[in-house]
């Protein structure tokens, strides 16, 4: 706590848009979670032939990152983060086909779920939303997920990262068990594994051989961005 | 100081008066309760609305807590695999830990696990159908009967049987915000509706306030010693939503509820509980006239128990504080003893404190740690002796 996040305006954004174009309404729309306004502005930007990657980086991310940082600092809370994420998602939905057509690849593929025996999903839902908005392709397996389901999904989707959520001290053991199952299946070096949830800690993550611990949703996303760049054994 | 009767000890601690030793309240989930009861040869191990206090009293509890809120029934109700069971609130519940398995497969699966080992899946009931997601739903919704004898009769029995000696607490969890998001509306819906459908949120919270006010008044009329409201608004690192939103949505409704309870019984004590870290609204609890408050999750966002005691200890009594997320399930015996010692130093010094683990003792807590805790409380929880001299 203690930092007051500010809007990070992208350097030289004016050079990437037509003369007279202004992103500030979109920054505010994302910040305030006005998804209808966000939709309108992104559509206008597309109609004005602005590069979709520019719309994402210069138009959508500043407001989203501002709220993410505020969320981390507990200046805003779940409801505000949810409406911002929804506005972000509205904009992303419009530009995603254009990004794909321009051969912009997702940052990585992330399999996420709450471990076997645990039905809690508030935390992992928020992490999913943040990861999607940060450019990851996320496959959410929901709650009460058997280790085999994680393994099947990782194989099928050629996952880069896998994340196990758990809220209870009785269920975090399944983070350990699931990591062991990945090792038994010979997949441990193909994916980076992240863990999170109320009773977890960095010490717990180290103890069970996870690659990282997400203390909160924003830190989990930062961790994912870092880990996805680290070397892994390739999928065939 | 002469030895006090349990109910006197508990009440005095709530009033922040002198006591002989720190009163205690241990709470178990079914699996851990059966495990410990077996050692003592105790057969009555009912939990939830079938609560049998024999074991807890044997371990030294000074109070009996009986639950009748929206949580009480579902969390202990037997639900078969694949079944959706509907409570009186018309919320549908299912069972976890069994994804895609038949009953037979699950039994086989359980056998492969070490009996009390770390990897045992303890199936939990969970809400999966939420009855109110639109104004139309709310309009057509019928609230349960707050005078249902099924809820109130067991309390009469408990008072008759135990109140001479023990302090009687009745729990109305979950009472307001949590009852709305976790049960009636659904979590993601609830948080979005705060912005999208404020009238629906207000309507649901008004309905809950009316129901629990009536229920709590009926409970107060039975002469119980304390009414507990439980409302999870904390996450591990901080509050789920803005403390100012809480002050707008929850605080006035709790104020109304408490005022009504006290109209029926002016002496009834009030306790507030939330999981997680809800330290930003501690002063609001004081404003509401709450007598006894739980504490933040000891390994969560705000870990400064001594600081909270210093700031609020002369305004409100406190309960809880021993870590159930890491220390009790995974600590060594000596670490558990040290944990109890620290909690006593931080919270019990000067009085106004009731010892309790931060939450239920769950199936993953080894028996030796439970005994280490009980012994340490006997060693470190006596006023006039180290560390409370």
């Amino acid at each position: 706590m203690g930092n007051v996040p500010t809007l990070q305006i992208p350097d030289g954004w004016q050079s990437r848009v037509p003369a007279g174009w202004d992103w500030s309404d979109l920054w505010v729309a994302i910040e305030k979670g006005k998804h209808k306004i966000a939709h309108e502005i992104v559509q206008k930007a597309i109609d004005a032939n602005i590069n979709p990657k520019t719309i994402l980086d210069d138009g959508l991310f500043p407001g989203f990152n501002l709220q993410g940082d505020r969320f981390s600092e507990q200046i805003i809370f779940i409801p505000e983060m949810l409406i911002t994420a929804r506005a972000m998602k509205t904009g992303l939905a419009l530009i995603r086909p254009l990004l794909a057509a321009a051969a912009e690849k997702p940052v990585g593929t992330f399999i996420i779920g709450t471990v076997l025996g645990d039905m809690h999903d508030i935390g992992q839902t928020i992490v999913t939303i943040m990861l999607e908005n940060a450019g990851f392709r996320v496959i959410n397996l929901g709650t009460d997920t058997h280790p085999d389901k994680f393994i099947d999904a990782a194989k099928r989707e050629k996952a880069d990262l896998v994340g196990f959520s758990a809220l209870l001290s009785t269920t975090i053991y399944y983070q350990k068990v699931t990591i062991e199952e990945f090792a038994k299946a010979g997949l441990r070096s193909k994916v980076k594994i992240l863990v999170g949830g109320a009773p977890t800690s960095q010490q717990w993550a180290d103890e069970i051989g996870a690659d990282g611990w997400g203390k909160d949703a924003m830190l989990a996303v930062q961790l994912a961005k870092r880990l996805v760049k680290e070397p892994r054994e390739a999928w065939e | 100081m002469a030895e006090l009767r349990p109910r006197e000890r508990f009440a005095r601690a709530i009033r922040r008066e002198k006591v002989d030793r720190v009163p205690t309240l241990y709470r178990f989930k079914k699996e851990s309760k059966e495990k410990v009861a077996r050692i003592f040869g105790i057969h009555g191990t009912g939990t939830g609305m079938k609560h049998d206090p024999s074991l807890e009293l044997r371990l030294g509890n000074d109070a009996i807590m009986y639950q009748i809120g929206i949580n009480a029934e579902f969390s202990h109700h037997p639900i078969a695999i694949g079944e959706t069971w509907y409570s009186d609130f018309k919320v549908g519940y299912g069972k976890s830990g069994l994804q895609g398995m038949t009953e037979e497969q699950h039994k086989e699966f359980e056998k492969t696990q070490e009996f009390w080992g770390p990897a045992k899946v303890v199936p939990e009931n969970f809400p999966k159908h939420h009855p109110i997601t639109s104004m139309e739903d709310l309009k057509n919704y019928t609230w349960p009967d707050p005078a249902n004898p099924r809820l109130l009769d067991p309390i009469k029995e408990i008072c008759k049987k135990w109140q001479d000696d023990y302090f009687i607490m009745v729990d109305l969890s979950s009472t307001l915000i949590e009852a709305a998001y976790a049960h009636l509306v659904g979590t993601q819906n609830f948080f979005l509706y705060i912005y999208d459908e404020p009238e629906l949120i207000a309507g649901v919270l008004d309905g809950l306030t009316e129901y629990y006010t009536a229920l709590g008044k009926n409970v107060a009329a039975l002469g119980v010693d304390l009414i507990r409201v439980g409302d999870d608004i904390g996450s591990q690192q901080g509050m789920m939503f803005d403390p100012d939103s809480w002050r707008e949505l929850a605080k006035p409704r709790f104020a109304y509820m408490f005022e009504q309870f006290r109209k029926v019984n002016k002496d009834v004590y009030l306790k507030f509980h939330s999981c997680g870290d809800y330290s930003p609204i501690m002063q609001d609890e004081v404003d509401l006239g709450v007598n006894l408050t739980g504490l933040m999750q000891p390994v969560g966002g705000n870990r400064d128990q001594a600081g909270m005691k210093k700031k609020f200890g002369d305004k409100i009594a406190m309960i809880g504080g021993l870590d159930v997320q890491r220390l009790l399930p995974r600590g060594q015996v000596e670490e558990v003893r040290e944990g109890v010692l620290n909690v006593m130093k931080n919270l019990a010094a000067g009085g106004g404190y009731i010892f309790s683990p931060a939450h239920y003792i769950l199936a993953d807590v080894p028996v030796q740690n439970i005994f280490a805790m009980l012994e340490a409380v006997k060693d470190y929880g006596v006023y006039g002796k180290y560390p409370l001299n």
Side-chain angles (χ1 to χ4, degrees), chain B residues 192-213:
Chain B
L192 280 174
Y193 290 171
I194 285 183
Y195 282 95
D196 292 353
E197 309 238 16
E199 283 166 23
L200 177 60
I201 294 301
V204 171
L205 296 179
D206 283 344
L208 282 162
T209 305
E210 200 177 312
Y211 170 78
Y212 276 113
T213 300

Side-chain angles (χ1 to χ4, degrees), chain A residues 74 77-80 82-83 86 117 119 122 125 143-146 149 169-170 172-174 198-201 215, chain B residues 96-99 109 118-119 121 126 187-188 191 195-196 236-243 325-326 330 364:
Chain A
Q74 298 182 27
F77 298 84
I78 294 175
E80 294 77 25
L82 281 179
I83 58 170
R86 178 174 59 185
M119 297 311 306
I122 306 180
T125 303
T143 58
D144 198 11
T145 308
H146 194 281
K149 296 226 167 183
S169 62
T170 47
I172 60 170
Y173 290 102
Y174 260 86
T200 60
S201 61
K215 183 180 176 184
Chain B
S96 75
L98 309 153
Q99 182 175 268
F109 174 72
V121 168
F126 71 100
T187 305
Q188 198 163 334
F191 289 128
Y195 282 95
D196 292 353
Q236 186 80 357
Q237 305 298 340
M239 282 183 60
M240 288 187 199
F241 64 109
D242 195 327
Q325 291 180 310
R326 296 177 197 165
R330 296 203 300 278
D364 57 354

Side-chain angles (χ1 to χ4, degrees), chain A residues 53-120:
Chain A
K53 188 79 175 41
T54 302
I55 302 177
L56 179 66
D57 291 341
D58 293 352
L60 291 168
F61 271 132
F64 180 72
N65 288 340
L66 173 64
Q67 289 301 79
D69 292 341
R70 284 175 173 163
F71 184 64
S72 248
E73 293 291 332
Q74 298 182 27
I75 296 166
I76 64 158
F77 298 84
I78 294 175
E80 294 77 25
M81 200 62 237
L82 281 179
I83 58 170
T84 282
R86 178 174 59 185
M88 179 82 183
K89 211 170 170 174
T90 310
L92 266 180
L94 291 174
I95 57 168
R96 195 169 277 138
L98 308 173
L99 287 169
E104 290 282 350
K105 287 207 168 61
V107 180
T109 295
F110 196 119
I111 311 281
I112 190 169
T114 308
V115 295
L116 189 65
D118 199 323
M119 297 311 306
H120 297 88

Side-chain angles (χ1 to χ4, degrees), chain A residues 104-162:
Chain A
E104 290 282 350
K105 287 207 168 61
V107 180
T109 295
F110 196 119
I111 311 281
I112 190 169
T114 308
V115 295
L116 189 65
D118 199 323
M119 297 311 306
H120 297 88
D121 64 356
I122 306 180
Q124 60 108 313
T125 303
I126 293 169
V127 173
T128 298
I129 292 168
M130 306 286 267
L131 284 168
E132 280 176 343
N133 286 331
F136 283 89
R137 183 172 152 258
V138 185
I139 289 99
N140 189 328
L141 302 177
T143 58
D144 198 11
T145 308
H146 194 281
D148 291 349
K149 296 226 167 183
F150 278 111
I151 288 172
D152 292 346
K155 280 189 195 161
R156 190 180 60 239
E157 307 292 342
K158 299 193 191 320
D160 300 297
L161 306 169
V162 187

Side-chain angles (χ1 to χ4, degrees), chain B residues 28-29 34 72 135 137 142 155 170 174 184 228 243 260 268 275 279 284 294 310-311 324 341 346 366-367:
Chain B
F28 293 88
K29 282 275 184 153
E34 285 172 356
M135 284 308 273
D137 291 340
T142 345
I155 299 171
V170 171
S174 49
L184 297 178
R228 176 191 193 261
Q260 294 298 312
V268 73
C275 288
S279 46
D284 300 276
K310 194 164 173 231
K311 198 163 169 198
V324 294
L341 176 64
N346 288 335
V367 166

